[in-house]
Amino acid sequence: MFDILDKYKAQDHFFLTPEQDLQTVCNAPADRSGVYVIYALKKGRVELIYIGHSGKIEKDGSLSIRKEGLGGLKDEIINGQQFGKTPAHIAWKKQMARENIEALNIYWYVTHDTGYTDCPDVLKRNLLRQHQDIFGVFPKWNKSI
């Protein structure tokens, strides 16, 4: 759906089921910034439910990478606040139970490399707008941009 993500060489994904620990299964890098896209698997269907990011471009043009906690994309995916001020590793499990989601498929993309430094926040906003243009709404776990 998002062809723009194809250019990023450092990318991967992992699954999270309600029984698993997010910190254990998360394979995102702790020293890099980027975006992540979450798909819910439910009753044989797949739905894009969230687009997130970690990192930003500073005023001097440098890339800021999340340093606290585990760091980088990994820390944002595991400890980033979701549904209020709850860390994702807790909030996602609760939300999966509420919505009867069997698993989450979480794709992550590092948005800086030797040939480019793309701002994760700007890329996230572009992906959200593209989703809204196609479906008329943001993914259900994204409230707004």
Side-chain angles (χ1 to χ4, degrees), residues 52-122:
H53 81 284
S54 176
K56 62 184 178 179
I57 302 292
E58 298 292 343
K59 290 179 183 177
D60 66 0
S62 66
L63 180 68
S64 168
I65 298 174
R66 187 176 176 122
K67 302 271 192 277
E68 65 268 3
L70 300 167
L73 267 167
K74 185 178 196 97
D75 191 63
E76 178 63 31
I77 290 171
I78 295 169
N79 295 315
Q81 294 181 352
Q82 191 81 40
F83 309 118
K85 296 194 182 286
T86 307
H89 68 94
I90 296 169
W92 291 354
K93 286 197 175 238
K94 288 181 181 178
Q95 198 63 25
M96 289 172 73
R98 278 188 208 109
E99 296 183 28
N100 295 315
I101 295 172
E102 296 155 21
L104 298 178
N105 191 357
I106 303 163
Y107 286 83
W108 54 264
Y109 305 84
V110 172
T111 59
H112 53 95
D113 207 333
T114 52
Y116 49 82
T117 300
D118 295 338
C119 179
D121 185 45
V122 171

Side-chain angles (χ1 to χ4, degrees), residues 21-71:
D21 174 58
L22 181 55
Q23 188 163 343
T24 302
V25 298
C26 180
N27 64 0
D31 61 345
R32 308 293 294 276
S33 289
V35 297
Y36 58 100
V37 180
I38 302 176
Y39 294 88
L41 309 172
K42 181 178 170 181
K43 295 182 182 178
R45 303 194 109 156
V46 177
E47 177 187 4
L48 190 156
I49 59 169
Y50 188 73
I51 300 169
H53 81 284
S54 176
K56 62 184 178 179
I57 302 292
E58 298 292 343
K59 290 179 183 177
D60 66 0
S62 66
L63 180 68
S64 168
I65 298 174
R66 187 176 176 122
K67 302 271 192 277
E68 65 268 3
L70 300 167

Side-chain angles (χ1 to χ4, degrees), residues 8 13 84 127:
Y8 301 114
H13 75 105
L127 295 172

Side-chain angles (χ1 to χ4, degrees), residues 9-21:
K9 292 174 182 40
Q11 59 174 278
D12 205 346
H13 75 105
F14 62 92
F15 289 95
L16 175 68
T17 63
E19 302 80 31
Q20 293 175 309
D21 174 58

